[in-house]
Amino acid sequence: MKPRFLLCLPVLLAHCTISQAFTVPRGWIHHAAGLGQVNIEHIYVFEKAEGDVDVWGVASNRVMHLAHHQAVRSSFKIPGESGQAHQILVSPERPSTIFVAADDGLYVSHDNGGAWENIFIESRRSGRKCLSVLDRPEGLYVGTTAGVYFRRAYHRGWSRIWPNITDPIRRLSQARNIIYVATSMALYQTYDGLEEVGLIFTSGIVGEEGSDTDKVNFYLRDFDVRGDGTLIIASSDGLYTSAKGLQRWDRIKAGTFPFRDINRIQWLSMKKGALQHERIDLGQFIVATNRGAFLYQNGQWISLYQGMFSNQVNDMVVTRSGEVFAATDSGIYSLNSEEMSALLRQANNSNSEIDPADHMEHIWKHELDINQVHHYAIQYADVHPDKITAWKNAARRQGWFPKLDIGVDGGRGWSRSDSLWGSSSSGGTHYIGPDDKSRSQDVGWDVQLSWDLADIVWNSDQTSIDSRSKLLTELRDDILNQATRIFYERRRLQIQKIQQGDSVDVQLRIEELTALLDALTGGEFSRAKRIGKTR
């Protein structure tokens, strides 16, 4: 028995080592129940005292209440002429009170969305559009396209405050006793609410080696405040941070990143003890962009794509426990701190000598690769670039072909004349005839050929082709992005299944992703698998 044990021990150790190296993080959890592929534009997370959370999402004029890791509890439509909602806020003191900033005012519900009332109606239509709202003990602040308005607690009237801010208010936020006001061009702050605001960041306030930033193309994307008062700002020309006191702003070395695509930036907090064995800087942050979710760590960007089947991340919230909620064009996703830690470990160990793909070769050799999936997806959706080329060639050749007009006309004629003869003395009148009949018929036709030689140089159809080409290209990109994410998410789950054993949930998810690939490729993905297995 002893020799047999000694022989098996290295094998077991090797298996354990490989299994640990191949553990695949689950990544994002998709809250799809009741949502489907709804484009969630804004998200709000209400953290309860007992540690649980309620998640609220806004899709155009529809507000959805999502219980933590459960299906949609309720869904209701915002009333009003213009239903577009821009922000949702749950009162921290009265959780059943919900505020929604919308195009035609500020709506409030005191019964979790049962009944709504518009409490802000500005006489000037230019200032009626509400973009943000902040609820504080002293009263309500609402950011509009014409500045900030305030309503004192237990009062009904609104008054304009901070007249030096005239740009549309993109965001109102607070940290401790400080209120932050963000426009598309600047960031302001004030203490204790009703005091005057001071400018703390704008175009040209920071520059590389003394040079101002580009004021013409500058755009403030978002900002966030850490618990210790450290500010971080995402702008169109880079990322900046400043410690409490705002004595100076420092540019973060973030490399070549699409800063203009950033929709939200959040400091990343971790649950205490979750990363106690990890060498990870807790000063990292996460961004939501039009190209996905990314985490910044040690001067590098890490793409957080596992489990998320969307590139368009519209909004994001990080809770006190470190859980991340993301609003995308395919619903709401969440990522807890343990999964985040696993993703960071995977990124830090990406240079490992062991390659999981080598152990999956026997499975993947019977399946389509990513290039073949792209080919069949383009073919099935009929969005190949050659289609655009064919349109343009046909439009150019049109000038060489004449316009053909064929005309045919014809006519028929018929006449008859009668003569009347007789005498009244004979006791009557006598008709004799017809005296004359005549018929006529004629047919004529013509053919015309005309050329417009100007069409050889420029055809008016080119304008229509350019518009259709843009739409076709965007559709093709969306299809390829979706196919790529589904393809590699399926492969990650296949690795997880091998390492963690058979699981009903994992197997169902793999089958679901297979069905999605079949839907994109017209069934070619599964057809290729069946053919490969029979060879």
Side-chain angles (χ1 to χ4, degrees):
M1 296 298 295
K2 185 175 180 180
R4 186 176 300 175
F5 173 78
L6 290 175
L7 288 173
C8 293
L9 183 58
V11 177
L12 290 174
L13 290 176
H15 174 75
C16 293
T17 303
I18 294 174
S19 178
Q20 183 178 4
F22 285 113
T23 300
V24 179
R26 180 179 179 181
W28 296 91
I29 298 175
H30 189 200
H31 300 271
L35 289 175
Q37 298 297 315
V38 177
N39 182 21
I40 306 297
E41 299 162 356
H42 306 282
I43 191 171
Y44 181 83
V45 178
F46 180 75
E47 301 184 60
K48 300 180 180 179
E50 60 270 21
D52 199 6
V53 299
D54 276 348
V55 182
W56 299 80
V58 174
S60 185
N61 62 345
R62 182 181 169 201
V63 176
M64 287 158 287
H65 182 194
L66 182 73
H68 190 201
H69 295 162
Q70 297 178 19
V72 175
R73 280 185 176 176
S74 59
S75 175
F76 35 86
K77 182 180 179 182
I78 300 299
E81 298 176 1
S82 175
Q84 182 66 43
H86 299 283
Q87 185 193 347
I88 186 169
L89 175 70
V90 178
S91 173
E93 303 297 331
R94 306 176 300 278
S96 61
T97 299
I98 309 166
F99 300 96
V100 176
D103 278 350
D104 56 347
L106 177 66
Y107 289 90
V108 61
S109 171
H110 298 288
D111 56 358
N112 278 314
W116 291 93
E117 177 189 5
N118 191 348
I119 60 174
F120 179 85
I121 302 178
E122 167 65 23
S123 59
R124 295 178 305 160
R125 193 168 186 84
S126 60
R128 192 178 304 172
K129 187 174 183 178
C130 296
L131 303 175
S132 55
V133 59
L134 180 64
D135 184 22
R136 283 174 55 91
E138 67 269 19
L140 273 175
Y141 298 82
V142 58
T144 74
T145 51
V148 182
Y149 289 79
F150 174 74
R151 189 181 81 168
R152 192 174 296 277
Y154 308 109
H155 290 68
R156 298 186 64 86
W158 293 89
S159 59
R160 173 82 184 279
I161 59 174
W162 308 328
N164 56 317
I165 305 178
T166 58
D167 292 330
I169 309 301
R170 299 186 67 246
R171 188 179 172 196
L172 291 170
S173 182
Q174 64 178 342
R176 298 179 181 176
N177 63 330
I178 303 177
I179 295 179
Y180 295 93
V181 184
T183 70
S184 61
M185 298 298 295
L187 180 65
Y188 304 82
Q189 77 170 18
T190 178
Y191 293 88
D192 297 324
L194 297 178
E195 294 184 2
E196 289 300 316
V197 294
L199 177 67
I200 60 175
F201 187 89
T202 187
S203 169
I205 205 168
V206 197
E208 292 292 336
E209 298 181 356
S211 63
D212 288 346
T213 55
D214 188 351
K215 296 183 180 181
V216 176
N217 298 318
F218 178 85
Y219 194 83
L220 194 150
R221 304 298 303 177
D222 194 34
F223 73 96
D224 194 28
V225 188
R226 202 165 56 188
D228 61 358
T230 303
L231 271 165
I232 186 169
I233 288 180
S235 71
S236 55
D237 67 340
L239 305 177
Y240 300 91
T241 184
S242 178
K244 187 176 181 181
L246 304 174
Q247 296 181 356
R248 64 178 235 175
W249 289 94
D250 296 318
R251 182 189 289 268
I252 298 175
K253 296 181 179 179
T256 56
F257 190 82
F259 301 109
R260 293 179 180 273
D261 290 333
I262 294 177
N263 298 317
R264 184 70 71 202
I265 186 168
Q266 294 271 283
W267 286 112
L268 189 63
S269 59
M270 288 289 186
K271 186 183 297 183
K272 186 176 181 181
L275 300 177
Q276 58 185 354
H277 300 299
E278 308 296 330
R279 295 181 179 178
I280 297 176
D281 179 15
L282 295 182
Q284 57 202 335
F285 52 87
I286 188 171
V287 295
T289 77
N290 298 330
R291 305 186 186 187
F294 297 87
L295 183 140
Y296 181 84
Q297 174 188 254
N298 300 328
Q300 295 182 343
W301 291 101
I302 300 173
S303 177
L304 304 176
Y305 55 83
Q306 289 89 336
M308 182 181 286
F309 308 109
S310 174
N311 287 327
Q312 183 68 38
V313 185
N314 302 315
D315 199 0
M316 184 175 288
V317 173
V318 180
T319 67
R320 290 189 295 267
S321 66
E323 186 166 15
V324 183
F325 290 87
T328 75
D329 60 356
S330 62
I332 295 176
Y333 292 82
S334 66
L335 182 68
N336 60 41
S337 58
E338 288 78 11
E339 287 295 321
M340 176 75 74
S341 177
L343 292 176
L344 296 181
R345 280 199 304 270
Q346 184 186 58
N348 292 335
N349 297 331
S350 59
N351 296 325
S352 174
E353 296 180 357
I354 303 176
D355 187 5
D358 294 340
H359 297 264
M360 296 299 297
E361 185 177 357
H362 66 286
I363 296 177
W364 293 339
K365 69 179 180 181
H366 298 302
E367 297 181 350
L368 297 178
D369 60 29
I370 186 61
N371 292 327
Q372 292 171 315
V373 170
H374 285 171
H375 169 75
Y376 284 118
I378 289 175
Q379 187 180 53
Y380 182 68
D382 194 20
V383 290
H384 198 280
D386 290 346
K387 188 174 184 178
I388 300 175
T389 304
W391 288 345
K392 293 181 177 180
N393 291 337
R396 281 194 294 266
R397 289 194 297 266
Q398 181 178 337
W400 295 101
F401 290 89
K403 294 181 180 179
L404 176 63
D405 292 323
I406 300 177
V408 179
D409 60 83
R412 284 188 175 187
W414 181 78
S415 64
R416 172 179 175 174
S417 61
D418 293 326
S419 298
L420 176 66
W421 304 87
S423 173
S424 60
S425 62
S426 61
T429 302
H430 303 279
Y431 294 92
I432 301 175
D435 187 56
D436 181 38
K437 290 182 179 180
S438 64
R439 290 182 175 85
S440 64
Q441 181 176 350
D442 60 276
V443 177
W445 61 275
D446 63 274
V447 177
Q448 293 183 356
L449 297 176
S450 61
W451 283 264
D452 188 351
L453 298 181
D455 286 345
I456 300 175
V457 179
W458 171 255
N459 193 314
S460 59
D461 291 338
Q462 291 285 354
T463 303
S464 174
I465 292 174
D466 291 341
S467 299
R468 286 183 292 167
S469 300
K470 180 178 182 295
L471 295 175
L472 189 69
T473 302
E474 291 175 351
L475 176 59
R476 182 172 62 251
D477 290 344
D478 290 342
I479 291 173
L480 294 181
N481 287 336
Q482 186 178 6
T484 302
R485 285 185 171 271
I486 294 173
F487 179 86
Y488 285 108
E489 178 63 18
R490 183 179 178 276
R491 290 204 165 183
R492 280 188 290 273
L493 287 174
Q494 287 176 314
I495 297 175
Q496 181 177 339
K497 180 182 176 182
I498 293 296
Q499 300 305 319
Q500 300 180 2
D502 290 335
S503 168
V504 175
D505 291 340
V506 173
Q507 182 59 36
L508 284 176
R509 184 60 177 155
I510 291 175
E511 292 179 4
E512 179 186 359
L513 297 177
T514 303
L516 290 174
L517 288 175
D518 280 335
L520 289 171
T521 61
E524 290 294 336
F525 189 81
S526 292
R527 190 176 298 115
K529 283 181 61 179
R530 289 193 298 268
I531 294 174
K533 289 181 179 180
T534 57
R535 290 177 179 175

